[in-house]
Structures are given as structure tokens and as C-alpha cells.
């Protein structure tokens, strides 16, 4: 065995050493040319995103809103807005709040700019979103005096046990109420039947969201960070099990950005890789769709499926929905938070017979109450309060991201960036207050206070 091990080491050592040396050279080059590379990738992403809309997303989904109606003037305006926001965004690596601003720009704002220029969106709405985002960047990035961390001490072991029990409880309830469908959950048509027939006890939806959006991803990242790879694999398996129980695609798909952002954050080049990665994704979608869209056998080919998931569902359909919300609520009564807890506290009357998403879906020609059209916080905020609502929610999110800066350290940066990236992704489809209270963002802050505060700050904890 010793002889075999020696031979294997000799065989693999040169290639591994070559790879390590190549990585060091590439990393040194990227560090030395950081600003030039990130500008290059940022500008390339703008054109790659436009190409994905023109040659993939719009051809496949023009019948449902992603129309191709380009305007030269709007394209120039959108390009100018893109470059201004990109120039204002700080370009420093290893900063959680800065990375999350870039992720929001790449995933939410940039697709809105492309949709606005290529489909005839509202200039007034796009200008207000542009101004709100610039204010948000100013809030996050302006200098601030050093502040002491919030640190909750002495309860870490108790919380760990409580979270484990909560996860087991959350896993058991769907099976007890709805049974276990097993591998049938991987039929992408059948999962809609599963979700329509599923029943849960009152209030369980909150617990389920906290478990799948926050507790389990946090545990997965902590185990990775502490090199407990077996437990990390167990957490990933639980994600798959939750998907098989609930049919929620988000539960299983969120593992991809979680793992990708965590691994890339350890390279020291996360921002550059973010833009380069999205450029590659856009190009892959365009090439895949162009190659597979001409097939006539009726099967769902990988290129078409990739476009449906990434180009349409993840990026341009949410952008379209935001403009749909603006178009409707610019002509009809605003909601003024009467649809949630705030409305109940102040006895406000909700002016519609269905949710805002159901109303917008019906306004687009669908049967009323047949489906719910989701939008991100930049669309939902306008439905609530108009343009003041957009500025209010953008500023609130800015202050939330700013609060993370106090917990940035070399050992916590990969966990913080990966975990809170989940909520930036959710905010492309959901409201800010819903994400805070129902989606688990406040629970994430609580876990940060308990597990990621500096040890030397213990005497000042709660």
C-alpha cells in the first residue's frame, strides 16, 4: 500500500502543482488589474443581458409579456443609467454589503434596464427606480463611525438544540398532513398538483419559510465553514427532502447560489467572478436556446429549459412584473399597506377583492383569482405608496445591508455573503416586509448575533 500511495503521489503531484501555480498567477493578475477587469466584465454583462433578451427570452415568452419593442432613445438612456449605477457602486472585494448591492444590481436592476429599453417600458418608473438605487448605494457606502456589535451570548448551545428540534418538527408536519410523494416530486408538472392539494396547520407557513430560507442554509454554510463536510452534505440532503415534501423549487434551487457564492467568496475575487459568471450564463442561455428552439420532436430540450428557468423566470419575467405593477397602480388606488399586519393594526380597508398579484394577473387578461403574479420589492413598494414607497423601501434595505458591515471578518465573510444573497434573490420576487418577517431575514440577523459576533465583544453582549 505504501508503494502504491507513493506512486500515486508522484503521478498526481506535478499536475496538482501546475494547477496551484496557474491559480496563483491568475489570482495575482486579477488582483493587479482589479478595476480594469471588473469594468470589462460589467460592460460585457450589459450587452450579454441584452442579447439574452433579444435572442432567447423574448422569442420564447413574447406571448406573455416579454415583447420585443426596442427604442434607440430608451436604449441610450438605459445604458447611461447602467453605467452611472455601476460607476457609483464600490468595487472593493471582501465586503458583504458591497457584494449584495452588486448582486441586486446584476439580478434585479440590470434586467429592468434591459427590459425597459427593449420592450418599451415606462421612463418615469425606470427613472424613479434609478434614483432610489443611487440613494441606496449612498446609504450603504457613506462613511460611518465604528459601532459596537450586537452580540447575544451564553445561549449558543441551547439555540442549536432548539433549531435541530424545530427542523425535525418542520420535516414531520408535511408528511403527516399530505403524505410523502417521493420521486414523483421531480416531475415538474406534478409539483403544481402537489402544491395545490397541500394543507398545513395554521401558521406553519412561517415556520416552513424560516426553516428552508434561513435555518437550514445557515447550518449548511456554518458546517462548510468549519469543515464539517458530512454535516453539510446532510443539510443539502434535507433541502432535497423538503423539496420532495413541499414541491417548492426554490428550496432545492437555492443550494446552487449558496454553494457557488460561498466557494467563490473564498477566492478573493467574488465581484469579478460575479459579473464574469453572469456573462457566461447569459451566453450559455442564448446559445442553448438558439440550438434547441428549432427542435420539432415536442420534447423540452436543455437549452429551452435553461432559458425558461434563468432568462425568463429568474430575470426578465420579474422585471416585466414590476412594470406591470407600475402601469396598473399608477391608474388605480394604491394599497397603503392595508393588505397586511400594518393595515390590521390601523384598521385600514383593503380596496381589492384579491391580492395585488391576483389583481395584476387579471389586468393582464387572465381569469380573476386564477393565479398570483409576484413582483419584487421595487414593484410592490410602488403598489403600496407610489414613488415615496420605492424610496422608503430602498432606503430601509440600504440600512439593513449597512448593519452587516460590523460583522465582516475574513472567517465570516463567506457565510454572510452566501446567506444574505438568498434574501436579495427573494426580493426580486417578494416584498421587503414579507422577506423580513415571513421570509426569515430577521431570523438570519438573530443567528448572526448569536453565532458570528466577535468573541472579544462578549462582555458587551446581551
Amino acid at each position: 500500500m505504501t508503494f502504491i500511495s507513493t506512486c500515486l503521489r508522484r503521478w498526481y503531484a506535478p499536475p496538482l502543482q501546475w494547477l496551484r501555480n496557474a491559480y496563483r498567477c491568475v489570482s495575482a493578475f486579477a488582483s493587479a488589474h482589479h478595476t480594469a477587469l471588473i469594468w470589462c466584465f460589467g460592460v460585457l454583462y450589459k450587452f450579454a443581458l441584452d442579447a439574452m433578451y433579444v435572442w432567447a427570452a423574448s422569442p420564447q415568452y413574447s406571448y406573455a409579456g416579454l415583447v420585443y419593442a426596442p427604442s434607440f432613445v430608451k436604449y441610450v438612456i438605459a445604458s447611461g443609467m447602467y453605467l452611472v449605477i455601476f460607476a457609483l457602486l464600490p468595487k472593493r472585494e471582501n465586503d458583504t454589503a458591497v457584494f449584495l448591492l452588486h448582486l441586486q444590481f446584476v439580478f434585479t436592476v440590470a434586467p429592468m434596464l434591459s427590459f425597459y429599453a427593449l420592450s418599451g417600458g415606462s421612463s418615469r418608473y425606470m427613472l424613479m427606480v434609478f434614483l432610489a438605487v443611487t440613494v441606496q448605494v449612498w446609504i450603504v457606502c457613506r462613511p460611518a463611525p465604528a459601532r459596537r456589535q450586537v452580540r447575544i451570548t451564553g445561549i449558543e448551545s441551547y439555540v442549536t438544540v432548539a433549531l435541530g428540534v424545530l427542523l425535525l418538527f418542520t420535516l414531520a408536519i408535511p408528511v403527516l398532513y399530505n403524505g410523502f410523494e417521493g420521486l414523483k416530486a421531480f416531475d415538474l408538472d406534478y409539483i403544481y398538483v402537489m402544491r395545490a392539494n397541500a394543507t398545513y396547520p395554521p401558521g406553519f407557513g412561517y415556520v416552513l419559510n424560516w426553516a428552508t430560507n434561513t435555518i437550514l442554509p445557515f447550518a449548511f454554510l456554518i458546517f462548510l465553514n468549519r469543515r464539517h463536510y458530512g454535516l453539510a452534505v446532510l443539510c443539502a440532503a434535507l433541502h432535497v427532502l423538503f423539496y420532495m415534501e413541499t414541491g417548492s423549487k426554490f428550496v432545492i434551487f437555492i443550494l446552487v447560489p449558496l454553494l457557488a457564492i460561498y466557494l467563490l467568496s473564498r477566492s478573493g475575487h467574488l465581484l469579478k467572478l460575479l459579473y464574469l459568471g453572469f456573462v457566461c450564463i447569459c451566453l450559455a442561455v442564448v446559445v442553448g436556446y438558439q440550438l434547441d428552439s428549432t427542435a420539432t420532436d415536442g420534447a423540452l430540450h436543455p437549452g429551452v429549459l435553461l432559458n425558461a428557468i434563468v432568462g425568463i423566470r429568474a430575470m426578465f419575467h420579474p422585471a416585466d412584473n414590476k412594470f406591470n405593477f407600475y402601469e396598473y397602480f399608477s391608474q388605480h388606488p394604491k394599497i397603503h399597506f392595508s393588505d397586511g399586519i400594518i393595515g390590521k393594526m390601523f384598521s385600514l380597508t383593503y380596496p381589492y377583492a384579491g391580492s395585488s398579484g391576483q389583481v395584476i394577473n387579471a389586468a393582464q387578461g387572465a381569469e380573476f383569482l386564477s393565479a398570483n403574479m409576484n413582483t419584487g420589492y421595487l414593484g410592490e413598494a410602488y403598489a403600496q405608496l407610489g414613488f415615496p414607497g420605492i424610496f422608503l423601501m430602498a432606503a430601509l434595505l440600504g440600512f439593513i445591508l449597512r448593519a452587516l458591515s460590523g460583522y465582516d471578518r475574513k472567517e465570516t465573510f463567506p457565510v454572510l455573503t452566501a446567506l444574505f444573497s438568498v434574501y436579495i434573490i427573494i426580493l426580486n420576487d417578494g416584498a421587503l416586509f414579507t422577506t423580513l418577517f415571513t421570509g426569515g431575514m430577521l431570523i438570519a440577523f438573530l443567528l448572526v448575533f448569536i453565532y458570528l459576533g466577535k468573541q472579544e465583544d462578549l462582555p458587551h453582549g446581551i
Side-chain angles (χ1 to χ4, degrees):
M1 290 297 294
T2 305
F3 173 76
I4 295 175
S5 300
T6 303
C7 291
L8 288 174
R9 282 198 299 270
R10 289 177 179 176
W11 178 262
Y12 287 109
L16 290 176
Q17 187 62 40
W18 183 88
L19 288 174
R20 281 195 291 265
N21 291 338
Y23 172 77
R24 293 191 189 101
C25 291
V26 172
S27 180
F29 178 85
S31 298
H33 301 86
H34 170 76
T35 303
L37 284 174
I38 198 169
W39 269 98
C40 178
F41 296 150
V43 173
L44 280 176
Y45 176 60
K46 161 67 177 158
F47 293 111
L49 192 62
D50 293 341
M52 184 168 68
Y53 185 86
V54 173
W55 289 309
S58 180
Q60 184 174 342
Y61 208 65
S62 59
Y63 69 92
L66 300 187
V67 298
Y68 181 59
S71 164
F72 174 74
V73 173
K74 289 185 177 181
Y75 192 84
V76 172
I77 293 173
S79 299
M81 289 180 178
Y82 182 99
L83 292 175
V84 169
I85 295 175
F86 185 75
L88 291 175
L89 286 168
K91 309 299 187 297
R92 59 180 178 267
E93 298 279 7
N94 300 321
D95 186 315
T96 298
V98 167
F99 171 76
L100 295 176
L101 283 177
H102 278 274
L103 180 61
Q104 177 187 245
F105 175 64
V106 167
F107 194 66
T108 299
V109 180
M112 291 180 67
L113 289 168
S114 290
F115 181 84
Y116 157 73
L118 299 172
S119 70
S122 167
S123 297
R124 188 166 177 257
Y125 175 62
M126 195 67 249
L127 177 61
M128 291 301 106
V129 170
F130 166 76
L131 294 175
V133 171
T134 57
V135 170
Q136 188 180 70
V137 173
W138 176 78
I139 289 172
V140 173
C141 301
R142 65 190 176 91
R147 296 174 181 172
R148 183 176 296 164
Q149 290 182 351
V150 175
R151 165 75 175 168
I152 303 177
T153 65
I155 62 171
E156 182 174 324
S157 58
Y158 302 105
V159 172
T160 301
V161 173
L163 294 180
V165 172
L166 181 63
L167 282 176
L168 293 176
F169 166 79
T170 312
L171 280 167
I173 290 297
V175 176
L176 293 176
Y177 272 74
N178 306 303
F180 185 65
E181 299 286 357
L183 296 179
K184 291 173 66 177
F186 292 97
D187 182 339
L188 296 182
D189 293 323
Y190 182 71
I191 60 173
Y192 296 102
V193 177
M194 282 179 55
R195 296 206 296 245
N197 295 332
T199 58
Y200 301 108
F204 179 74
Y206 294 100
V207 179
L208 181 63
N209 283 335
W210 296 341
T212 56
N213 295 353
T214 302
I215 298 171
L216 202 51
F218 183 78
F220 174 71
L221 294 169
I222 286 292
F223 290 139
L224 275 181
N225 210 42
R226 296 179 180 177
R227 300 186 179 182
H228 300 322
Y229 299 121
L231 292 174
V233 170
L234 175 61
C235 290
L238 291 179
H239 268 279
V240 177
L241 185 57
F242 268 118
Y243 166 77
M244 295 170 70
E245 291 182 354
T246 64
S248 173
K249 289 178 286 187
F250 180 84
V251 174
I252 192 168
F253 284 155
I254 201 61
L255 284 172
V256 177
L258 267 179
L259 184 58
I261 292 172
Y262 174 83
L263 294 176
L264 295 178
S265 66
R266 304 184 71 88
S267 70
H269 305 288
L270 182 57
L271 285 183
K272 296 184 284 294
L273 293 172
L274 171 70
Y275 285 93
L276 178 60
F278 269 88
V279 168
C280 295
I281 289 171
C282 291
L283 295 178
V285 169
V286 172
V287 173
Y289 178 76
Q290 288 296 315
L291 291 176
D292 285 349
S293 61
T294 57
T296 58
D297 57 5
L300 187 60
H301 291 269
V304 176
L305 179 61
L306 181 64
N307 183 42
I309 294 173
V310 178
I312 296 172
R313 179 59 189 90
M315 303 186 77
F316 287 117
H317 184 51
D320 179 24
N321 286 351
K322 295 175 181 64
F323 282 90
N324 289 334
F325 268 67
Y326 166 75
E327 294 294 342
Y328 184 85
F329 286 102
S330 62
Q331 303 173 38
H332 296 85
K334 308 290 190 298
I335 298 174
H336 298 120
F337 298 106
S338 59
D339 58 340
I341 298 175
I342 295 177
K344 294 177 181 178
M345 290 173 57
F346 293 97
S347 300
L348 301 177
T349 301
Y350 183 64
Y352 299 99
S355 69
S356 60
Q358 292 169 332
V359 170
I360 299 300
N361 191 55
Q364 299 302 307
E367 182 182 352
F368 186 49
L369 303 181
S370 63
N372 188 50
M373 184 177 287
N374 294 328
T375 188
Y377 80 99
L378 292 172
E380 194 270 346
Y382 183 85
Q384 298 289 356
L385 288 178
F387 289 131
I390 294 178
F391 281 95
L392 176 65
M393 292 303 165
L396 177 58
L397 180 59
F399 284 114
I400 291 171
L401 298 182
R402 185 180 174 85
L404 290 172
S405 299
Y407 299 89
D408 258 336
R409 303 190 304 279
K410 182 179 179 180
E411 64 271 20
T412 62
F413 174 71
V415 175
L416 287 174
T417 51
L419 179 63
F420 282 88
S421 293
V422 173
Y423 308 112
I424 298 299
I425 293 170
I426 291 174
L427 286 171
N428 195 39
D429 272 329
L432 181 56
F433 283 159
T434 303
T435 303
L436 281 170
F437 297 105
T438 306
M441 197 173 188
L442 286 181
I443 302 296
F445 268 97
L446 184 62
L447 296 178
V448 169
F449 297 158
I450 295 172
Y451 291 94
L452 299 183
K454 288 183 179 179
Q455 294 300 317
E456 56 267 26
D457 285 342
L458 285 175
H460 308 296
I462 297 175

